[in-house]
Amino acid sequence: MLDIAEELHRWVEQGRTFAVATVVAVGGSAPRQPGAALAVDSDGTAIGSVSGGCVEGAVYELCQQALEDGKTVVERFGYSDEDAFAVGLTCGGVIDILVTPVHGGVLPAALAAAAAKAPAALARIVSGPEELMGRALLVRPDGSYEGGLGGHPELDRTAADEARAMLDAGRTGTVEIGEDGSRCGRPLTLLVESSVPAPRMIVFGAIDFASALVRVGKFLGYQVTVCDARPVFATPARFPDADEIVVEWPHRYLESTDIDARTVLCVLTHDAKFDVPLLEAALRLPVAYIGAMGSRRTHEDRNKRLREVGVTELELARLRSPIGLDLGARTPEETALSIAAEIVANRRGGSGASLTGAHTPIHHDGPRAPAGRIGSVA
C-alpha cells in the first residue's frame, strides 16, 4: 500500500472513501510480493496492482464489496487448471489478499508518513481471530506508536518492537507473534510495511557512463549522487537527472556522508589516485554493494595497490570488479544496464544466469544477499 501512498494520501485529503487490497502472503511463482496493493474509491477509480493483471478484476470487485459492507476480508487466489475461466494466477502461484475499507484509524496517518518520505512502519493483523483482522499499528523510528491491535495489553508492545526492527532494516514482510504478545500464545500473523527514504546510489566519476547509470538508478528508485573532484565535469548540465552533484575528492566525501546497509557505491573513475583511497574506505563500510569499473588489467593493478595499503583478502572479496554482469555491453546505456542488473541480482539473491532452460526459481523467496557484497565493469 505504501507504494501508492502519495496518490492515496491525496484521496484522504480530498475526502474520498476507498478500500485497499494488499498482498499479505505469496507462494510459488507469484507475480507480486507482500505489500503490493490495489485501491478502489467509491467512484470506481482504481490505482495499483496486486497480480500484474491475473486477478485484478476479482480484487476490484472485493474492494467495491468492502466499500458497501465495511468489512475486512482475506481472500486466497491460486492456480486451477480444471476451469479455464476460473479466476486465478496463470503463473501457478498463490497469493492471499487483505481487503479493507479505509475510514479513519491509523491508515491515513501511515499514508501521510509515506507520502512525506518519513520513516514509519505499518503493522496489520492479516491472520488470526476474525474480530482482529485488519487492525493496525503505526510505529515510528523512536519506538512510539499509535493505533492498536486489540486483545492482550502486551500485544501492541510486542508488535511495535517487531515492526521497529523491520523498519530499521527497511524491510516489508510478515512476522508471527502470540495473541497475548508472547511467542507461546495462539499465533497472529502481522504484515509489516516499512516506509523508508529511498536507498542511496553514489556514483563516483563524472564520466559519460555515469550519466547513463544515473538515469537507470533513478528508474530503480535510488536517490542518486554523483561525486567527482573535477568541477569541470561534475556539473548539473552533464547530470540533469542526479539528485545531488558533489565536487570533492571521492574518499573525503564518502567519509563525511550518510550511508546505510542499502547504499550502493559505483566507482567509475578507474584512476588509481581516486580509486585506491576510496575503495580502501568503502570496503570497510556496511553497504549493500560496491562495484569498480576498469579492465581486468586495471582490476589486478588496483587490487595490488589496495593490498599494499592494508586491505585484507576478505575485504577485497567484497569487491565486484570488473563491475556489472556479462551482457556484452558496449555503450554507456548498455553498461549501465549491466551494472543495474548486478545490483538487483545482489539485492534479491539472483544468479544473473539466463532463465531460459534453467531450473532455478524465477522469484527468490529467501533473504536477499547479505549487505556488503561489492562489484565492477570492463
Side-chain angles (χ1 to χ4, degrees):
M1 181 177 67
L2 301 184
D3 289 340
I4 53 176
E6 291 188 25
E7 182 63 26
L8 293 185
H9 180 55
R10 282 192 286 271
W11 284 11
V12 171
E13 290 183 320
Q14 294 165 1
R16 296 160 74 170
T17 57
F18 58 94
V20 177
T22 307
V23 177
V24 297
V26 301
S29 186
R32 301 297 305 275
Q33 293 300 301
L38 170 73
V40 180
D41 75 355
S42 56
D43 294 330
T45 302
I47 59 172
S49 171
V50 291
S51 71
C54 302
V55 300
E56 308 298 298
V59 175
Y60 180 91
E61 293 178 0
L62 287 173
C63 287
Q64 290 187 313
Q65 182 63 42
L67 286 171
E68 291 178 9
D69 59 26
K71 295 181 179 179
T72 294
V73 299
V74 173
E75 188 78 16
R76 171 165 291 183
F77 294 93
Y79 176 76
S80 172
D81 57 5
E82 298 176 359
D83 182 355
F85 295 98
V87 175
L89 298 176
T90 58
C91 59
V94 176
I95 57 174
D96 289 344
I97 306 289
L98 172 72
V99 183
T100 184
V102 178
H103 45 68
V106 299
L107 293 185
L111 294 172
K117 312 299 183 187
L122 177 67
R124 289 187 283 170
I125 297 176
V126 298
S127 177
E130 184 176 351
E131 66 272 14
L132 300 182
M133 292 294 291
R135 294 200 181 186
L137 202 66
L138 181 62
V139 182
R140 308 289 183 179
D142 62 1
S144 62
Y145 57 88
E146 56 186 285
L149 302 180
H152 197 281
E154 288 295 324
L155 178 58
D156 286 353
R157 284 191 285 272
T158 302
D161 288 342
E162 294 286 351
R164 185 184 180 188
M166 295 189 72
L167 177 61
D168 288 344
R171 293 183 54 232
T172 287
T174 56
V175 295
E176 283 197 357
I177 60 176
E179 189 179 347
D180 60 358
S182 72
R183 295 293 182 181
C184 303
R186 189 166 53 159
L188 298 174
T189 302
L190 303 179
L191 172 68
V192 179
E193 298 176 80
S194 294
S195 169
V196 292
R200 296 191 68 191
M201 172 185 285
I202 308 178
V203 181
F204 297 98
I207 63 175
D208 52 353
F209 288 90
S211 180
L213 183 57
V214 167
R215 296 195 297 274
V216 175
K218 291 297 296 179
F219 176 75
L220 291 178
Y222 286 93
Q223 179 180 344
V224 184
T225 297
V226 175
C227 175
D228 198 299
R230 303 164 296 177
V232 68
F233 296 116
T235 66
R238 284 170 54 81
F239 300 96
D241 298 307
D243 295 291
E244 181 184 34
I245 299 172
V246 177
V247 178
E248 178 60 278
W249 276 76
H251 71 285
R252 292 175 184 166
Y253 175 67
L254 184 60
E255 290 168 354
S256 65
T257 193
D258 293 330
I259 58 95
D260 62 24
R262 300 178 301 147
T263 302
V264 301
L265 307 177
C266 300
V267 181
L268 310 186
T269 46
H270 53 80
D271 183 328
K273 68 177 178 289
F274 296 124
D275 289 2
V276 173
L278 171 60
L279 290 172
E280 181 185 4
L283 290 169
R284 293 163 181 163
L285 294 175
V287 295
Y289 171 95
I290 306 170
M293 176 177 277
S295 66
R296 297 195 184 279
R297 180 176 179 178
T298 298
H299 166 73
E300 293 300 328
D301 178 71
R302 185 168 50 216
N303 278 7
K304 178 183 177 182
R305 293 172 184 267
L306 287 168
R307 291 186 183 100
E308 289 173 350
V309 297
V311 175
T312 68
E313 295 302 318
L314 186 61
E315 291 166 343
L316 275 178
R318 300 180 62 209
L319 182 61
R320 303 275 186 162
S321 175
I323 196 170
L325 298 184
D326 181 12
L327 304 183
R330 292 285 184 178
T331 68
E333 290 75 17
E334 290 172 347
T335 301
L337 180 60
S338 78
I339 296 170
E342 184 171 62
I343 291 170
V344 172
N346 180 74
R347 179 181 179 185
R348 301 299 187 187
S351 68
S354 175
L355 291 173
T356 302
H359 299 287
T360 55
I362 294 177
H363 303 290
H364 292 263
D365 297 327
R368 69 181 185 182
R373 295 289 301 278
I374 308 190
S376 159
V377 97

